[in-house]
Every structure is written in C-alpha cells, then in structure tokens.
Amino acid sequence: MTIELHTWNTPNGRKISVALEEMGLPYKVVPVNITKGEQMAPGFLKLSPNNKIPAIVDPEGPDGKPVSIFESGAILLYLGEKTGKFLPKSLAGRIPVYEWLMWQMGGFGPMPGQVHHFIALENEQDRAYGLKRYMAETRRLYGVLDHRLDGRDFVAGDLSIADFAILGWAWRHPRHKVELAEFPNVKRWYETLMARPAVKRGMEAKLD
C-alpha cells in the first residue's frame, strides 16, 4: 500500500522522503505549495491541524486501518515503529534516538529556520540583529552536533531516524552560511549519509 507524503521541498519534507527511501516503503508525493498558502486549505488542515508540512496518510495503518500523521518527528517515530527499522528495539537503545530527535525538533530546525527568515529580508537594519542572534545559535548547535559525533558514526549509536531528522536541516548548511569543514565530525557524518543510495534518492525525490 502506497503512503501519501503531503509535503514541499523543505528540510522537514526531506527528512521524511529520506526515511521512506531508507525503509523501502512505497510512497507518492502530494505537493503542498506553501508559497501559495496551500497548507491553509481545509483538506490539508484535516491532516495537519497546525497547517505545517509534512503530513502522511498511510492506508495500511494500525490494525490495517488508514491513518494520517502530522509533525515530522511524529512521522519518523511512526515509520520506525511500523517497519522496525532505524529505531532500536530496547528502551536503552531508544533513549539516545529520542534525545537527538528532540534536539533536532527543538533546536536544530527552529534556529536555522530563523536564519532562513532573516537572511531573506531586504532591509539591512531589519536583518542585522536577527541574523547575528540566530546565526550564533545555529553555529553553537553545529558545535554540539560535532562534539556528539566525535568518535561516533551516527548520533545515537546505529543509524536511526534521529540522523534522518538532523540531516534534513544539515542539508541546508550553505543557506545557514556554515562551512562544514569547520565542523569535521559533522562533515564526515554528512558525507557518509549523503553517499547512501537511499538517502540520495530521498534527497532527489521531487517534492514540489
């Protein structure tokens, strides 16, 4: 059964396309053009009441019944539970996955997202304060990630949904004005993931 991925070409959308490819799940993209406000359409709001992409519809959800899920972190957890892939079976193994998934959701997403917002402003005075504040915090978060990856291949032990979540935002490092060479562990991790065939497919999937 084919999963519907309602999304647009954003870091949060890429998290899910990468996960679906890595898990080998069939899916089709239903574009939601956020530049035209399609995320506010009543049909989409039924799937995502917070009017944010992505959302999925799985026609073969729990007990074989259709289910829709919004919020990218919730989607990743659901897909990990559904497939038994990239989410450890033991509670001890899941703890770092939960930690680093929440780290991404609470920080390494909202903060670079503010960089995206302020960098697009035309008025230099409007841009200056916001960029200084959020670029500094974004660089701090890259440093946290770099420290975590010192001596580790992936953020939570084995490759997991936490890596996919973080990758969606690290993919936009040029837009964050961050040179990965300054964070060598992040650079190694990023290049390792981007070399995976399924990640490559997920990153190249047409989401818009």
Side-chain angles (χ1 to χ4, degrees):
M1 302 288 281
T2 301
I3 290 173
E4 291 181 3
L5 171 57
H6 296 251
T7 193
W8 196 243
N9 185 26
T10 70
N12 288 331
R14 289 293 168 196
K15 297 178 194 176
I16 310 306
S17 60
V18 165
L20 289 165
E21 291 286 354
E22 283 282 357
M23 294 173 183
L25 290 170
Y27 69 100
K28 68 176 180 180
V29 174
V30 181
V32 179
N33 190 335
I34 60 176
T35 69
K36 295 182 177 179
E38 291 179 1
Q39 72 275 22
M40 303 300 295
F44 182 70
L45 285 172
K46 289 180 181 179
L47 304 179
S48 180
N50 195 32
N51 61 269
K52 301 288 186 182
I53 59 95
I56 67 167
V57 177
D58 184 358
E60 195 172 22
D63 303 317
K65 298 177 182 178
V67 65
S68 64
I69 303 151
F70 72 101
E71 287 294 333
S72 59
I75 294 169
L76 288 171
L77 287 168
Y78 170 76
L79 294 175
E81 292 278 3
K82 176 183 175 72
T83 63
K85 296 178 179 179
F86 306 108
L87 188 62
K89 290 183 170 56
S90 72
L91 179 57
R94 287 182 184 218
I95 288 171
V97 176
Y98 293 159
E99 289 175 330
W100 287 94
L101 177 60
M102 298 309 143
W103 176 84
Q104 185 280 303
M105 298 293 294
F108 196 71
M111 294 302 104
Q114 293 299 319
V115 173
H116 295 181
H117 171 78
F118 283 100
I119 211 167
L121 297 180
E122 293 183 4
N123 185 294
E124 182 59 34
Q125 194 169 2
D126 290 342
R127 296 173 70 210
Y129 171 75
L131 280 178
K132 181 178 179 181
R133 174 181 173 84
Y134 291 111
M135 279 185 166
E137 177 61 5
T138 294
R139 290 185 63 82
R140 187 191 71 81
L141 291 166
Y142 273 96
V144 170
L145 180 59
D146 196 70
H147 180 72
R148 175 63 180 181
L149 289 167
D150 187 13
R152 290 184 175 88
D153 291 335
F154 305 108
V155 295
D158 293 333
L159 181 63
S160 73
I161 57 173
D163 294 285
F164 304 153
I166 297 166
L167 181 67
W169 283 91
W171 166 61
R172 285 289 179 86
H173 67 272
R175 194 169 177 181
H176 306 158
K177 305 297 184 184
V178 169
E179 292 289 343
L180 291 188
E182 298 178 44
F183 303 95
N185 297 316
V186 175
K187 185 174 187 290
R188 168 186 50 78
W189 166 87
Y190 181 82
E191 290 175 349
T192 296
L193 282 176
M194 293 296 277
R196 293 174 65 88
V199 169
K200 184 175 171 60
R201 292 194 299 272
M203 286 297 183
E204 293 177 351
K206 185 170 176 52
L207 302 187
D208 52 17

